[in-house]
Amino acid sequence: MHHRAPTSASPSRRTLLAVTAAAAAAAVTGAVAPASAAPADRARTEERLRRIIGRMTLEEKVGQLFVTRVYGHSATAPDQADIDANLRELGVRTAAELVERYRVGGVIYFAWAHNTRSPHQIAELSRGIQEAALASRTPVPVLISTDQEHGIVCRVGAPATLLPGAMALGAGGSPGDARRAAAVAGAELAALGIRQNYAPVADVNVDPANPVIGVRSFGAVPDAVSRLVTAQIKGYQGAGVAATAKHFPGHGDTAVDSHYGLPVITHSRARWEELDAPPFRAAIAAGIDAIMTAHLVVPALDPSEDPATLSHPILTGVLREELGYDGVVVTDALDMQGVRTKYGDARVPVLALKAGVDQLLNPPKLDVAWNAVLAAVRSGELTEERIDTSVLRILRLKERRGLFAAPCADPAEVDRTVGTPRHLAEADRIAERTTTLLVNEGGFLPLRPAAHGRILVVGADPASPSGTTGPPTTVLGRALRELGFTPTVLSTGITPTAALIDAAVAAAGGQDAILVGTYNIGATSPQRTLVARLVATGVPVVTLAIRNPYDVARTTGQRAALAAYSWTDVELRAAVRVLAGRAAPRGRLPVPVPSADDPAVTLYPVGYGLSYA
């Protein structure tokens, strides 16, 4: 049965509701003790949280375990298309109805669900969700989350500050920069009412063919990844946002994308301890709020070959007991194919809870998953005490991040915090220290307008990862023009056709230099042909890898090659400043680049990077 859409509340009514709900929450919880409180205060807070659980119905407890998507820019008055999507997928019309019916403990924002149009809209959506939660029988604030890794994975775009992604930060090599980037990102998320971020990525990327992690990882060296994971946890959680280390037990050595299949990690137990475990150990030592599971099989850790998300030996045996972690464990999205290949959608959430999970993220059918967990408790397969254990972990996280004390986003804080000149300048400073110069034949770079004023900009224009202005060739051209060059921009795409390659060659006539943006060049990619044909014109060619740095192994003849690690504006503008000598190339490879002909041969080792004399 579908609920009627609630009428839009007037501002005065919304204000009254928020005040009343906050008062109700305070009446249930009392004062909230900060994480640094004395033991007696912490004990009193723990008792209050247990009393909240004691007042909950079983349905309310089960609801706290779920984090789900919901369509729409408003909690009470979404567009009709989003109402239709909600009815079709969730059986409710609005976010407010979702909270009312299922008592969900969390909501995840996506751009494709139309949750993230603008900063003030996001903050108002967050406020509407919290008002619905705090008006319920047992008022508990919702933990609103998103994937704001930065780099190639973001949900909140401009005018929010966009920062370098993980591998770029790995190239910068500075824990201070990583912490500052997370502090900026965390402050802006908190101002929007988003209090859990599914970052940082703690995977150690050692497979150049990894289709799902790649530049989302800080690099290939466990100790270096551990330092940057620790720094980002401090930055996010210091800003009041729960950090989430992912994807346990490690997703960095697979050529299968768990969105579409079930990867198998063939590491021995010793190899896992050496390569994958250190960043997660570091995260736990840093006081990480949450750890996300991976939908992959690790036979060395669990011979049953269940995906880690559903594995008791991995989540309870290794993560809880061996690593000593007692924080929140959240699944990766349950609508991903990797977790659905072996069991049906009704069994997956139950098995995840039995394995040691606390939060169930984005099941394909919320009603199926919610009712399956209820049925498992009523049948005795899951005890209510087991549910209580997870709910307590979730409430502790909400209390620790201040949600009980201040659940609603403050519109004034949006203007004070999101996309401020200071934050944007910080992003530019950090990005400048990440661009990596890999080839510079005869000291060809830096370019000068007087000598290389006319520049042809060609290359790949992948869809914007995070609401940046894009496309990449346009951003590069604009940045060059601002520095005094005269660019000609021609988008040739990820798979340039013969006609586009011919057009690029024709456009090279009369140019002083050519800048080619490359994107994940494979063995048979026509991007290789594009570069070779442009090199053959005799006009000097510079390549800029706008995603994976491994592209440099697939091209020859260029006078210079750089790696930017992402095609967000902040990283592309920084690369142009390096190209033009306005900034020194300081980035150093955080991953090795193997030969395209023989992967056993390393062309450029970890730590490699050229400087200007």
Side-chain angles (χ1 to χ4, degrees):
M1 182 179 73
H2 302 314
H3 295 297
R4 180 175 57 85
T7 56
S8 180
S10 67
S12 59
R13 182 178 180 273
R14 284 200 300 268
T15 302
L16 177 62
L17 178 58
V19 171
T20 303
V28 174
T29 64
V32 177
S36 59
D41 291 333
R42 289 201 300 271
R44 283 193 291 271
T45 299
E46 184 86 352
E47 180 56 32
R48 292 184 191 107
L49 298 179
R50 291 181 185 276
R51 284 205 300 270
I52 295 174
I53 296 172
R55 292 188 178 98
M56 286 181 173
T57 64
L58 177 59
E59 289 80 3
E60 287 173 324
K61 293 176 183 179
V62 169
Q64 281 296 307
L65 308 179
F66 284 94
V67 182
T68 183
R69 69 199 177 281
V70 66
Y71 291 86
H73 70 286
S74 164
T76 55
D79 295 340
Q80 186 61 48
D82 292 323
I83 291 174
D84 294 342
N86 285 329
L87 288 170
R88 184 171 59 251
E89 297 185 20
L90 300 166
V92 297
R93 294 168 58 87
T94 68
E97 286 185 17
L98 170 77
V99 173
E100 178 190 351
R101 177 180 295 191
Y102 288 104
R103 306 291 190 254
V104 292
V107 168
I108 178 172
Y109 286 171
F110 292 104
W112 52 257
H114 309 137
N115 305 138
T116 57
R117 290 182 179 178
S118 69
H120 277 286
Q121 168 269 317
I122 297 169
E124 185 61 23
L125 172 61
S126 301
R127 174 177 286 273
I129 289 171
Q130 298 298 5
E131 288 174 350
L134 297 174
S136 60
R137 191 189 75 90
T138 307
V140 175
V142 172
L143 187 60
I144 297 171
S145 60
T146 200
D147 291 285
Q148 192 78 349
E149 297 174 14
H150 289 278
I152 71 167
V153 176
C154 279
R155 310 302 181 204
V156 181
T161 303
L162 297 169
L163 292 135
M167 193 170 285
L169 293 172
S174 166
D177 280 353
R179 183 186 58 77
R180 282 187 289 273
V184 167
E188 297 198 8
L189 289 173
L192 301 173
I194 300 171
R195 303 300 290 275
Q196 181 173 19
N197 192 14
Y198 297 129
V201 171
D203 303 315
V204 180
N205 197 83
V206 293
D207 186 348
N210 194 320
V212 65
I213 304 301
V215 294
R216 297 168 62 196
S217 162
F218 290 109
V221 179
D223 286 348
V225 172
S226 298
R227 285 193 295 273
L228 297 179
V229 164
T230 297
Q232 291 232 296
I233 291 167
K234 292 176 180 176
Y236 282 122
Q237 295 186 179
V241 170
T244 309
K246 61 185 186 184
H247 308 77
F248 189 83
H251 210 315
D253 190 14
T254 172
V256 176
D257 185 341
S258 53
H259 289 84
Y260 308 108
L262 182 58
V264 177
I265 304 294
T266 57
H267 293 175
S268 66
R269 175 64 191 243
R271 176 67 169 157
W272 177 82
E273 289 279 4
E274 173 190 31
L275 181 74
D276 301 295
F280 290 101
R281 290 185 186 276
I284 294 167
I288 187 78
D289 277 333
I291 291 177
M292 180 180 283
T293 68
H295 303 326
L296 45 75
V297 170
V298 189
L301 301 182
D302 181 359
S304 77
E305 299 195 358
D306 279 341
T309 297
L310 310 181
S311 169
H312 188 273
I314 291 175
L315 297 187
T316 296
V318 176
L319 181 57
R320 296 274 191 219
E321 295 172 359
E322 292 182 26
L323 272 59
Y325 179 64
D326 193 39
V328 168
V329 174
V330 57
T331 69
D332 205 344
L334 295 181
D335 62 347
M336 292 166 60
Q337 195 57 37
V339 79
R340 303 174 74 189
T341 57
K342 194 171 179 180
Y343 303 98
D345 290 340
R347 288 301 295 160
V348 165
V350 175
L351 294 173
L353 290 168
K354 292 177 76 172
V357 156
D358 303 302
Q359 285 183 312
L360 301 159
L361 176 61
N362 206 30
K365 288 289 186 181
L366 179 59
D367 60 337
V368 169
W370 192 77
N371 284 305
V373 175
L374 274 178
V377 178
R378 288 171 176 153
S379 72
E381 184 179 8
L382 288 169
T383 66
E384 192 161 353
E385 289 75 19
R386 168 67 190 86
I387 303 300
D388 289 352
T389 298
S390 284
V391 174
L392 182 58
R393 288 193 187 106
I394 293 164
L395 295 190
R396 283 176 185 150
L397 189 159
K398 293 179 178 183
E399 176 272 323
R400 194 161 55 245
R401 294 298 148 229
L403 271 170
F404 284 105
C408 292
D410 178 0
E413 194 62 31
V414 175
D415 294 325
R416 285 194 295 265
T417 306
V418 178
T420 62
R422 184 174 66 83
H423 283 178
L424 296 171
E426 186 74 63
D428 282 335
R429 281 194 296 272
I430 293 170
E432 257 183 18
R433 297 190 276 265
T434 67
T435 304
T436 307
L437 179 61
L438 299 172
V439 175
N440 194 20
E441 295 292 343
F444 181 67
L445 297 183
L447 302 180
R448 307 291 186 197
H452 310 98
R454 294 167 299 179
I455 298 182
L456 174 64
V457 180
V458 301
D461 275 334
S464 170
S466 53
T468 59
T469 55
T473 53
T474 301
V475 174
L476 293 168
R478 185 185 305 119
L480 285 164
R481 187 173 293 108
E482 290 171 356
L483 296 183
F485 296 89
T486 304
T488 300
V489 174
L490 175 63
S491 174
T492 49
I494 295 172
T495 54
T497 62
L500 278 172
I501 292 172
D502 288 343
V505 169
Q511 300 290 330
D512 299 314
I514 303 169
L515 176 61
V516 185
T518 66
Y519 181 93
N520 293 9
I521 300 179
T524 60
S525 171
Q527 293 181 68
R528 300 181 75 182
T529 305
L530 172 68
V531 172
R533 289 279 305 280
L534 291 171
V535 166
T537 67
V539 179
V541 171
V542 177
T543 58
L544 173 65
I546 64 172
R547 186 168 177 169
N548 289 343
Y550 312 112
D551 287 0
V552 69
R554 299 278 188 189
T555 57
T556 57
Q558 67 266 47
R559 296 288 296 277
L562 305 98
Y565 306 100
S566 178
W567 62 104
T568 50
D569 294 11
V570 68
E571 285 155 299
L572 295 180
R573 290 195 309 266
V576 168
R577 290 196 297 278
V578 169
L579 188 76
R582 300 298 183 90
R586 300 181 189 175
R588 299 293 181 264
L589 281 174
V591 294
V593 174
S595 164
D597 299 322
D598 183 359
V601 174
T602 298
L603 289 182
Y604 302 99
V606 170
Y608 182 86
L610 301 175
S611 301
Y612 294 148

